[in-house]
Amino acid sequence: AAARVRSTLAAARLGLMGHYYSGMLDIMTDVTQVSIVFGTHAEIVEVDELSALAAEADEAALTQRVEEFYTAFDVQADCPPEELRRAARTSVALDVFAARHRLDALAYYYQGSGNPANEDTMSSIILGTSLLTARHIPVAGEYEVKNALAMKIMDCLGAGGSFTEYYAMDFNADLVLMGHDGPGHIAICQGKTKVRPLKVYHGKVGRGLSVEMSVKHGPVTLLSVVEDAKTGFKLLAAQGECVAGEIMQIGNTNSRYRFPLGARGFVNAWNEQGPAHHCAVGVGHVAATLKKAAALIGIGFHQVC
């Protein structure tokens, strides 16, 4: 499994679409170093091309994709039909786009402000990118190159790899609450992923449909690809448990995690290693395999718990 991680990354084509999220200095990455260390090819792709493909989607394809949404997701009753069709148009285009560029993963962020076609595309992308992620083409929002790699590594191990970050700590229950807006990994969710309409996106341009889920309850592993002065990058891992409990119903992925170090101990130990604020979460405990993968790639490894 560790050898598969190394060979997959060395042959992978990582699509980069758009630009960084302004002010997120911790996620900015030397893409040349990514190719040197992992062997991964960075393919620069254009939002304009995706918008053009969306405009070409025919009615039969849109109808079929909406039906697929109802199969793959728990579509809430208040989701407007026009928003489902808008998401279907972008989803159909994404499939063609990924195949055309032979993408194995994608990192994206683009506002599209001032260009109605691009803004429409980027505000209707979440369902399509969630489907791609479940089909082993992980998609990381906010142009998070390092986390696209982390998600691909977890996908190689069959653990999933859903885009996540801290958003709160429950000191009374000694839990860390983690999740993110944008695409979620619907193949590792607890139950069925809900689709909810949002009147405004969280920190993003526009409005539209979003996904809400919790990772499957049970053992989980967090993975971050961290920049390292000695080896270019290192893998940072932590093993814990996703536990049941109330999550915020805000159209985002949300989960409750317990770690052997406790909430305070985990957050301190994790951030001492200098990761960006995003990570990939997968089901099962796979840190031992990640350590072997790091050794094969020739990079560092640190496990906090």
Side-chain angles (χ1 to χ4, degrees):
R4 184 169 63 247
V5 168
R6 182 181 184 274
S7 63
T8 297
L9 292 180
R13 293 169 58 85
L14 170 62
L16 303 178
M17 183 172 70
H19 54 75
Y20 288 111
Y21 195 119
S22 182
M24 287 191 181
L25 305 183
D26 59 323
I27 69 173
M28 295 184 177
T29 304
D30 182 347
V31 178
T32 300
Q33 192 72 0
V34 168
S35 292
I36 291 170
V37 172
F38 298 104
T40 303
H41 169 71
E43 180 75 3
I44 309 300
V45 293
E46 298 291 344
V47 179
D48 299 38
E49 181 184 355
L50 181 60
S51 296
L53 288 171
E56 296 171 2
D58 61 39
E59 290 300 313
L62 297 184
T63 300
Q64 182 178 354
R65 186 54 51 96
V66 170
E67 292 174 356
E68 291 175 13
F69 286 164
Y70 277 96
T71 300
F73 301 101
D74 179 9
V75 179
Q76 300 300 286
D78 56 345
C79 290
E82 61 271 18
E83 285 294 336
L84 286 167
R85 288 183 65 80
R86 196 163 71 92
R89 184 177 298 279
T90 303
S91 179
V92 168
L94 274 166
D95 286 358
V96 177
F97 189 75
R100 176 180 291 180
H101 294 285
R102 296 180 287 122
L103 300 182
D104 299 294
L106 174 68
Y108 80 95
Y109 176 72
Y110 197 75
Q111 294 185 349
S113 299
N115 184 319
N118 286 345
E119 185 171 337
D120 182 77
T121 297
M122 300 314 295
S123 61
S124 59
I125 202 170
I126 294 175
L127 269 62
T129 48
S130 295
L131 290 179
L132 280 181
T133 299
R135 285 175 26 220
H136 311 293
I137 305 175
V139 181
E142 297 179 356
Y143 208 75
E144 235 290 25
V145 175
K146 294 189 291 287
N147 211 38
L149 295 170
M151 293 166 69
K152 189 64 180 179
I153 291 170
M154 296 299 276
D155 181 75
C156 287
L157 298 180
S162 194
F163 195 91
T164 195
E165 69 181 10
Y166 314 104
Y167 66 85
M169 296 172 69
D170 185 337
F171 291 109
N172 293 327
D174 202 24
L175 298 174
V176 181
L177 310 181
M178 304 180 75
H180 209 276
D181 67 322
H185 201 313
I186 63 176
I188 62 167
C189 69
Q190 179 71 27
K192 207 170 185 180
T193 300
K194 291 182 172 62
V195 175
R196 294 189 185 278
L198 297 181
K199 293 182 179 180
V200 60
Y201 281 133
H202 308 151
K204 308 295 189 298
V205 168
R207 59 182 176 80
L209 301 181
S210 190
V211 296
E212 178 181 290
M213 56 163 266
S214 169
V215 170
K216 286 180 182 177
H217 301 155
V220 296
T221 302
L222 301 186
L223 173 64
S224 179
V225 173
V226 183
E227 294 187 57
D228 180 79
K230 293 181 179 179
T231 58
F233 296 95
K234 66 180 178 182
L235 300 187
L236 175 63
Q239 294 183 158
E241 180 185 8
C242 184
V243 300
E246 188 176 5
I247 62 171
M248 295 192 293
Q249 298 179 7
I250 56 173
N252 286 183
T253 61
N254 289 291
S255 300
R256 301 156 58 87
Y257 297 104
R258 178 172 286 117
F259 298 97
L261 298 176
R264 291 176 177 85
F266 164 73
V267 169
N268 286 335
W270 181 267
N271 288 298
E272 283 173 358
Q273 298 301 312
H277 66 283
H278 299 127
C279 65
V281 59
V283 294
H285 285 165
V286 297
T289 307
L290 292 171
K291 183 177 182 180
K292 295 181 177 71
L296 291 173
I297 296 168
I299 59 176
F301 175 82
H302 185 85
Q303 182 177 350
V304 303
C305 59

